[in-house]
């Protein structure tokens, strides 16, 4: 049974023990539906939820964060939240094995979602693997505002794609790429995006997926003089802003770089604000001009 | 959570400062309050313990800064923070405005830097929110491991001596100790001689995790501080040894603030029975942001269930019931 743990008035976030009411296969992923009273009403596309693994005695202490695929404020079960989970390690294997009727600790909505343009401009939405999960909900909101929406879905192979059918429902155009060419265009999403920007006259590129893909999208957007809004994937211990593990070097409006929490200041950043050059082979160093960076040893 | 079967006096005395509850956050595990206050009312805690503040802004280390380990985690944050001026004007001001009791954790690269941070805190216009100063002489996440003052008796003594000169009468100064020493009682003795009014035990202990796909250290900084339930027996041991030395009169008796792997009320009760007067909840808050409050409710129930009317009557009781 779903139980609310913490929901302070005006906090904009809830902590619930959520009942799982759906767990279905979606390509190589699992699509989970969770009963989350109070969460759906607050959530926006691009925000995420943090799930605990097992009960309060699990040896896996850290929460796993997932972008919100969809919310339904009032269904048969009350408000629900849907997420897409890939089984990577032991924690996500436990989450993908949750059966309807079981409970899971959920905190959300967390972080800042995708900013929506104030004018009805053409937009391109790019998802890598199950990173595409929040884009369909975003597409619906953009189209409600009169924006034309092109969707690009990329993955290593056909079974790693998520949401192709849904993309055709909510997008004005859909392009699929796979590294192995098993479906759609062979190659990366970055191979098709420049031409799509030129053809559609897009003013904004929205991206969600691996960091390398987001870095490429940001560079392409820069080259075309348009804005990229990217939802980053960073390892987080808590998701709520208290552990300081998910930081990244990001410039503010004045050009000053700080190590900011992607859970609070993100996960969506303007692509040109992120110091992509600091990321290398799984590590991210602190750029020398970052506020409070260690002084070079002489 | 049901109310305890009979009421328990959960108030605690930290070197002359009375707190209505034994529960605190642990430094570095609750940022500076705003984030946690979305989940629990932090003014209901005995005290809110800040992230360690240094004199100047600190960016912290590169990433990954975190690795999950069995019943724990490694972190190498590197004391990221805004510097004491910004801390006072933004964070302490806010904690003061909501009426929180604050334990300010301070850190520095040198003993005199610790003292300058303490001075900026106690002379600030928000100083009346400060319930204690916790002197973090034991953070393992500094670039130079030689800076872990708590592993060096002379360094620890110097830091506490200089900070004490800045701390006004009546404001407790807690020394936070590292378990990574040969003789923690010896270090406790040194900091008490330098004027510490209480001890916080324990800080994280140093560890390394290897990424077995890339076959290299998982953390960008290689080493990190291990925390979480995995280290609870080390915390109980440290408290047991130091409280035992106090009971035998080998060192001065002062309050011990217990920290290390507390996730549930029974964990807190272990630390109390070993000799802790108050309890900090750290890594467990990453899993459950309501834990600093929840554990206090559970602890009160457990104390009531065992027939005690005052938490103070349970402090160190395991020493009395141990017959070797």
């Amino acid at each position: 049974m779903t139980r609310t743990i913490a929901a302070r008035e005006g906090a904009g976030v809830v902590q619930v023990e959520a009942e799982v009411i759906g767990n279905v296969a979606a390509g190589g992923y699992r699509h989970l539906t969770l009963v989350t009273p109070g969460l759906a009403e607050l959530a926006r596309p691009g925000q995420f939820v943090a799930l605990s693994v097992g009960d309060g005695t699990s040896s896996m202490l850290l929460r796993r964060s997932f972008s919100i695929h969809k919310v339904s404020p009032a269904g048969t079960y009350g408000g629900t939240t849907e997420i897409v989970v890939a089984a990577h390690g032991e924690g996500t294997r436990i989450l993908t094995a949750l059966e309807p009727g079981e409970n899971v600790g959920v905190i959300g909505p967390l972080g800042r979602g995708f900013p929506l343009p104030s004018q009805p401009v053409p937009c391109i939405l790019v998802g890598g693997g199950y990173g595409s999960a929040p884009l369909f909900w975003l597409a619906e909101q953009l189209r409600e505002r009169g924006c034309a929406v092109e969707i690009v879905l990329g993955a290593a192979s056909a079974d790693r794609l998520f949401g192709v059918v849904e993309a055709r429902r909510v997008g004005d155009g859909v392009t699929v790429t796979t590294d192995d060419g098993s479906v759609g265009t062979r190659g990366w999403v970055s191979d098709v995006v420049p031409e799509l920007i030129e053809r559609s006259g897009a003013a904004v590129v929205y991206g969600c997926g691996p960091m390398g893909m987001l870095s490429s999208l940001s560079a392409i957007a820069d080259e075309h003089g348009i804005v990229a809004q990217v939802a980053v994937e960073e390892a987080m211990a808590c998701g709520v802003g208290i552990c300081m593990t998910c930081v990244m070097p990001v410039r503010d409006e004045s050009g000053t770089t700080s190590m900011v929490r992607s859970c609070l200041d993100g996960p969506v950043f303007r692509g040109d604000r992120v110091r992509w050059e600091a990321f290398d082979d799984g590590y991210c160093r602190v750029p020398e001009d970052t506020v409070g960076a260690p002084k070079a040893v002489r | 959570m049901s109310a305890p079967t009979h009421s328990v006096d959960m108030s605690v005395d930290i070197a002359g400062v009375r707190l209505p509850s034994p529960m605190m956050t642990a430094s570095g595990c609750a940022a500076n309050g705003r984030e946690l206050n979305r989940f629990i009312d932090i003014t209901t805690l005995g005290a809110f313990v800040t992230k360690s503040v240094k004199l100047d802004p600190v960016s912290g280390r590169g990433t990954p800064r975190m690795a999950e380990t069995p019943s724990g985690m490694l972190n190498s944050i590197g004391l990221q923070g805004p510097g004491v001026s910004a801390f006072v004007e933004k964070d302490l001001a806010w904690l003061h405005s909501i009426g929180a009791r604050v334990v300010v954790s301070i850190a520095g690269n040198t003993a005199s830097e610790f003292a300058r941070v303490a001075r900026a805190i106690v002379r600030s216009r928000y100083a009346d929110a400060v319930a204690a100063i916790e002197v973090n002489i034991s953070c393992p996440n500094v670039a130079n491991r030689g800076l872990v003052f708590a592993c060096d008796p002379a360094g620890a003594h110097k830091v506490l001596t200089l900070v004490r000169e800045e701390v006004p009468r009546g404001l407790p100064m807690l020394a936070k100790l590292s378990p990574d020493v040969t003789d923690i009682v010896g270090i406790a003795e040194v900091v008490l001689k330098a004027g510490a009014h209480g001890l916080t035990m324990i800080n994280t202990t140093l560890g390394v995790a290897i990424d077995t796909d890339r076959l290299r250290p998982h953390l960008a900084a290689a080493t990190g501080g291990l925390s979480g339930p995995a280290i609870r027996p080390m915390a109980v041991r440290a408290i047991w040894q130091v409280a035992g030395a106090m009971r035998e009169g080998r060192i001065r008796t002062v309050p011990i603030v217990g920290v290390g792997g507390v996730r549930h009320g029974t964990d807190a009760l272990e630390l109390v029975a070993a000799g802790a007067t108050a309890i900090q909840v750290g890594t467990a808050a990453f899993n459950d942001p309501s834990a600093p409050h929840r554990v206090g409710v559970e602890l009160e129930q457990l104390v009531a269930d065992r027939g005690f009317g005052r938490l103070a009557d349970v402090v160190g009781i395991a020493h009395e019931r141990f017959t070797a």
Side-chain angles (χ1 to χ4, degrees):
Chain A
M1 202 186 80
T2 297
R3 187 166 64 94
T4 300
I5 309 296
R8 296 200 70 201
E9 188 74 33
V13 61
V14 297
Q15 180 181 358
V16 298
E17 277 298 310
E19 184 182 346
V20 178
I21 54 168
N23 179 349
V24 296
Y29 311 108
R30 303 298 299 186
H31 177 163
L32 271 62
T33 303
L34 313 165
V35 180
T36 53
L39 194 157
E41 298 84 336
L42 300 167
R44 296 179 44 224
Q47 289 188 296
F48 67 96
V49 290
L51 269 62
S52 54
V53 178
D55 61 14
T57 64
S58 165
S59 73
M60 278 172 277
L61 292 176
L62 307 185
R63 286 184 176 256
R64 271 64 172 168
S65 294
F66 304 95
S67 59
I68 299 171
H69 172 47
K70 194 184 290 182
V71 290
S72 305
T76 316
Y77 295 91
T80 57
T81 301
E82 294 169 49
I83 57 171
V84 180
V85 181
H88 279 308
E90 193 54 35
T92 43
R93 267 198 292 278
I94 288 171
L95 294 176
T96 52
L98 285 168
E99 292 186 12
E102 290 190 274
N103 271 22
V104 60
V106 178
I107 295 177
L110 294 166
R112 298 183 190 209
F114 290 110
L116 301 177
S118 49
Q119 302 292 319
V121 295
C123 299
I124 300 177
L125 280 50
V126 184
Y130 72 123
S132 64
L135 298 181
F136 315 104
W137 179 25
L138 173 66
E140 287 173 347
Q141 294 204 349
L142 289 169
R143 289 183 68 178
E144 280 170 21
R145 291 173 169 240
C147 299
V149 173
E150 285 284 340
I151 299 178
V152 181
L153 302 177
S157 54
D159 65 320
R160 306 312 286 177
L161 289 164
F162 176 79
V164 177
V165 173
E166 195 158 7
R168 297 216 166 95
R169 186 176 62 78
V170 297
D172 295 294
V174 179
T175 309
V176 172
T177 69
T178 49
D179 298 359
D180 65 359
S182 52
V183 60
T185 308
R186 179 190 294 268
W188 294 350
V189 293
S190 51
D191 298 337
V192 301
V193 169
E195 193 249 317
L196 208 49
I197 293 173
E198 284 153 29
R199 180 153 53 84
S200 67
V204 187
V205 175
Y206 292 94
C208 190
M211 295 296 262
M213 186 196 97
L214 302 184
S215 172
S216 298
L217 287 181
S218 300
I220 292 166
D222 276 353
E223 285 159 19
H224 289 80
I226 65 173
V227 173
Q229 296 285 356
V230 299
V232 302
E233 288 187 348
E234 261 297 327
M236 297 174 182
C238 72
V240 302
I242 58 176
C243 75
M244 308 296 292
T245 63
C246 65
V247 297
M248 309 196 329
V250 178
R251 291 186 195 91
D252 65 12
E253 281 174 17
S254 67
T256 304
T257 297
S258 303
M259 296 298 281
V260 305
R261 288 169 283 188
S262 54
C263 67
L264 280 186
D265 290 312
V268 177
F269 291 105
R270 251 178 60 164
D272 58 350
R273 296 272 170 82
V274 177
R275 300 286 298 270
W276 299 107
E277 78 279 10
F279 294 84
D280 181 32
D281 189 29
Y283 287 150
C284 178
R285 63 183 172 78
V286 179
E288 282 176 18
D289 58 347
T290 304
V291 174
K295 306 270 191 299
V297 179
R298 290 173 201 282
Chain B
M1 202 67 63
S2 58
T5 45
H6 65 270
S7 77
V8 175
D9 177 3
M10 295 292 282
S11 68
V12 298
D13 183 325
I14 304 292
V17 170
R18 199 87 192 156
L19 302 175
S21 158
M23 301 311 300
M24 301 181 189
T25 53
S27 180
C29 298
N32 282 334
R34 286 182 180 84
E35 299 82 0
L36 203 64
N37 203 52
R38 294 184 294 166
F39 299 94
I40 57 171
D41 178 355
I42 60 171
T43 65
T44 64
L45 297 172
F48 180 86
V49 185
T50 69
K51 208 170 149 43
S52 292
V53 58
K54 295 179 79 176
L55 195 59
D56 298 318
V58 180
S59 68
R61 315 295 291 265
T63 62
R65 291 177 167 189
M66 174 268 288
E68 192 176 51
T69 59
S71 291
M73 68 178 278
L74 290 171
N75 88 82
S76 57
I77 309 301
L79 297 183
Q80 180 170 348
V84 72
S85 299
F87 166 81
V88 166
E89 292 308 319
K90 289 185 187 147
D91 299 314
L92 190 57
W94 180 79
L95 288 160
H96 182 274
S97 75
I98 64 164
R101 289 166 293 275
V102 186
V103 173
V104 179
S105 174
I106 65 168
N109 296 327
T110 63
S112 62
E113 188 182 330
F114 274 90
R116 290 168 70 189
V117 175
R119 187 185 315 155
I121 301 294
V122 300
R123 293 186 184 180
S124 79
R125 56 186 148 149
Y126 308 112
D128 60 341
V130 180
I133 300 282
E134 184 174 271
V135 188
N136 179 7
I137 52 174
S138 47
C139 178
N141 292 308
V142 284
N144 178 358
R145 281 280 294 149
L147 292 178
V148 179
F149 294 92
C151 301
D152 167 29
H157 189 273
K158 187 171 181 192
V159 170
L160 271 297
T161 303
L162 293 190
V163 172
R164 189 192 184 186
E165 288 173 14
E166 303 296 339
V167 175
R169 214 179 158 78
L171 185 63
M173 180 174 75
L174 306 169
K176 187 163 181 181
L177 303 187
S178 169
D180 291 347
V181 294
T182 309
D183 175 16
I184 199 163
V185 174
I187 297 288
E189 183 175 13
V190 164
V191 297
L192 292 178
K193 280 186 176 157
H197 306 102
L199 303 171
T200 303
M201 288 187 285
I202 55 176
N203 208 318
T204 57
T205 176
L206 209 62
V208 172
I210 301 291
D211 175 335
T212 51
D213 289 323
R214 292 181 156 114
L215 294 174
R216 67 179 192 192
H218 183 91
L219 300 177
T223 61
L226 181 64
S227 65
I231 69 164
R232 193 174 66 244
M234 296 177 71
V236 175
R237 180 269 296 172
I239 294 163
W240 172 264
Q241 288 178 328
V242 173
M246 289 175 183
R247 285 171 173 261
E248 292 164 10
R250 287 191 280 139
I251 58 174
R252 190 154 56 84
T253 298
V254 299
I256 294 170
V257 179
V259 52
V262 175
R263 191 176 186 184
H264 298 290
T266 45
D267 309 332
L269 184 58
E270 260 200 89
L271 271 60
V272 170
T277 294
I279 295 293
Q280 297 181 349
V281 175
T283 304
F286 300 162
N287 178 279
D288 174 10
S290 72
H293 171 76
R294 173 181 53 76
V295 170
V297 174
E298 292 169 358
L299 177 63
E300 183 173 0
Q301 181 67 60
L302 291 166
V303 171
D305 289 347
R306 282 152 184 73
F308 295 93
R310 301 190 325 149
L311 178 71
D313 294 338
V314 190
V315 174
I317 197 168
H319 293 269
E320 287 156 31
R321 297 189 173 185
F322 179 66
T323 49

